[in-house]
Amino acid sequence: MKHKITLSITAALVAASLWGSPAQLPWQEDTGLALAAQADYTRAKVYTKHDFRLKIPSAYDRLLITKAVDSFGMLFSVAERASVEATPGGLEEDTGAGWLFTIGFVGEQKLAELMENDVPGQELFARDREGNFYLYYHPTDVRYVRESPEAMERDQGQWRELNEWAWDSVRQEFLKDNPQLIPYTAEDWQVNKEMAARGVTPAAFLGGWADKTSGRCYMEIKQGREKDAYDVKINWGDSANRTYVWEMTALALDSHQLCYRDARHYSLTFDGKGGEKRDMKYENGRGIFTLNSANEIMWQDETGHAGDDAVFITVK
């Protein structure tokens, strides 16, 4: 009986717009409060499953129940502890009281089914080189439970803060902590579908490209030794006697994206007498090249950000 009373209180609070409606979830509201913006990941509890890591800020860890899910295709599930403990029988399934999110993955065929059917409550945010796609599952209704109206009112700030953190921060940090993953969204999936329907393949990347703005940056892309591998070299002239160079092997993600994880970036300084000095800036740089519908290449340089806003056009 107490459980039913608590759930009816939740419904009343939702109707009063304390947290929003199912059409606009509470942690998606533009409130400007940013309660969870200062989540400190330098002090965090790390949960692991196989090669995956999920960090929970120490300030939140005691408020949560975090577990590695013993089910194929599921990695981690997180729920608010107080809501679970206020529910008779506790948390039986990921879709129960207090549930905040679950991280899992599906194959390409299953993803296509989900996308075609526009299934709510799951956000595509990453993929890997093995053809797995990673989803952030979240509730489409409020799962906040307490034992009394007073407790409901008392703890609503905590519930909101945890939801804001879960929605705004978790996926970005998960990508940082799991470098085997590549950012990939529903928009990327849709563009790939459209580009593939037009007959676009990674072979469209081959050839010479110059940056659209200054013309001082030249990129050459050649077929690599392995299937779906492409050798990329970028030269960016800084002055008459110095140029910056990036060299990497990129792998095709889909019809219109190449991903690299091994970039070597260095500068070459010429002495005017035929000699040169090489200064290594970094190795194992990461990034993505994307071919857009205008047949331009956009460079996402995740390590040095030299490619931010860089657009390349083909050189005849």
Side-chain angles (χ1 to χ4, degrees), residues 235-247:
N235 290 278
W236 200 319
D238 178 54
S239 63
N241 64 342
R242 183 171 62 183
T243 188
Y244 291 100
V245 181
W246 290 259
E247 296 176 332

Side-chain angles (χ1 to χ4, degrees), residues 61-66 79-86 98 162:
D61 186 56
R62 62 184 177 83
L63 304 176
L64 302 171
I65 295 176
T66 303
E80 189 210 26
R81 181 179 299 276
S83 286
V84 173
E85 294 176 347
L162 290 173

Side-chain angles (χ1 to χ4, degrees), residues 27-253:
W27 50 97
Q28 294 171 314
E29 293 177 354
D30 184 14
T31 63
L33 297 177
L35 293 173
Q38 302 301 317
D40 183 6
Y41 281 93
T42 63
R43 301 177 58 189
K45 175 72 176 292
V46 179
Y47 294 84
T48 62
K49 181 178 180 182
H50 304 312
D51 295 330
F52 295 96
R53 304 170 74 233
L54 174 66
K55 280 184 179 178
I56 305 291
S58 297
Y60 295 151
D61 186 56
R62 62 184 177 83
L63 304 176
L64 302 171
I65 295 176
T66 303
K67 61 180 182 179
V69 183
D70 187 19
S71 176
F72 179 77
M74 295 296 173
L75 297 174
F76 303 98
S77 182
V78 177
E80 189 210 26
R81 181 179 299 276
S83 286
V84 173
E85 294 176 347
T87 305
L91 183 67
E92 297 179 358
E93 299 289 344
D94 290 344
T95 53
W99 179 47
L100 295 175
F101 67 89
T102 297
I103 293 176
F105 62 90
V106 296
E108 186 171 2
Q109 182 176 349
K110 181 62 176 179
L111 178 70
E113 294 175 6
L114 296 175
M115 291 296 180
E116 293 294 343
N117 295 319
D118 194 22
V119 178
Q122 41 202 6
E123 311 295 329
L124 175 63
F125 73 99
R127 65 171 296 171
D128 61 26
R129 293 180 176 178
E130 285 70 51
N132 297 309
F133 297 84
Y134 293 78
L135 298 170
Y136 175 92
Y137 300 96
H138 60 87
T140 56
D141 57 3
V142 178
R143 304 302 175 89
Y144 180 40
V145 179
R146 288 298 187 272
E147 68 280 0
S148 68
E150 293 78 15
M152 293 286 285
E153 183 175 359
R154 178 195 68 210
D155 293 344
Q156 61 180 300
Q158 172 180 299
W159 173 253
R160 183 165 192 154
E161 180 172 352
L162 290 173
N163 275 280
E164 287 186 354
W165 160 76
W167 182 260
D168 293 337
S169 174
V170 167
R171 282 166 286 177
Q172 294 89 331
E173 293 298 323
F174 193 76
L175 283 167
K176 292 179 185 177
D177 294 329
N178 297 278
Q180 69 272 36
L181 300 184
I182 301 157
Y184 198 82
T185 66
E187 289 75 17
D188 293 319
W189 181 87
Q190 183 62 39
V191 170
N192 175 58
K193 181 181 176 182
E194 295 170 358
M195 297 286 271
R198 291 171 49 196
V200 175
T201 71
F205 282 93
L206 296 173
W209 303 81
D211 83 279
K212 190 175 182 179
T213 303
S214 69
R216 294 188 295 114
C217 185
Y218 178 77
M219 173 169 61
E220 186 173 13
I221 302 179
K222 298 180 179 180
Q223 184 67 54
R225 294 181 179 180
E226 300 180 4
K227 180 182 178 181
D228 295 329
Y230 296 82
D231 295 331
V232 182
K233 186 171 184 178
I234 300 173
N235 290 278
W236 200 319
D238 178 54
S239 63
N241 64 342
R242 183 171 62 183
T243 188
Y244 291 100
V245 181
W246 290 259
E247 296 176 332
M248 63 279 280
T249 299
L251 299 179
L253 281 180

Side-chain angles (χ1 to χ4, degrees), residues 262-282:
D262 64 347
R264 300 168 63 246
H265 172 43
Y266 55 90
S267 66
L268 291 176
T269 303
F270 307 98
D271 60 12
K273 302 177 182 179
E276 64 180 37
K277 178 183 177 182
R278 176 176 297 197
D279 181 16
M280 184 65 66
K281 303 299 182 181
Y282 62 73

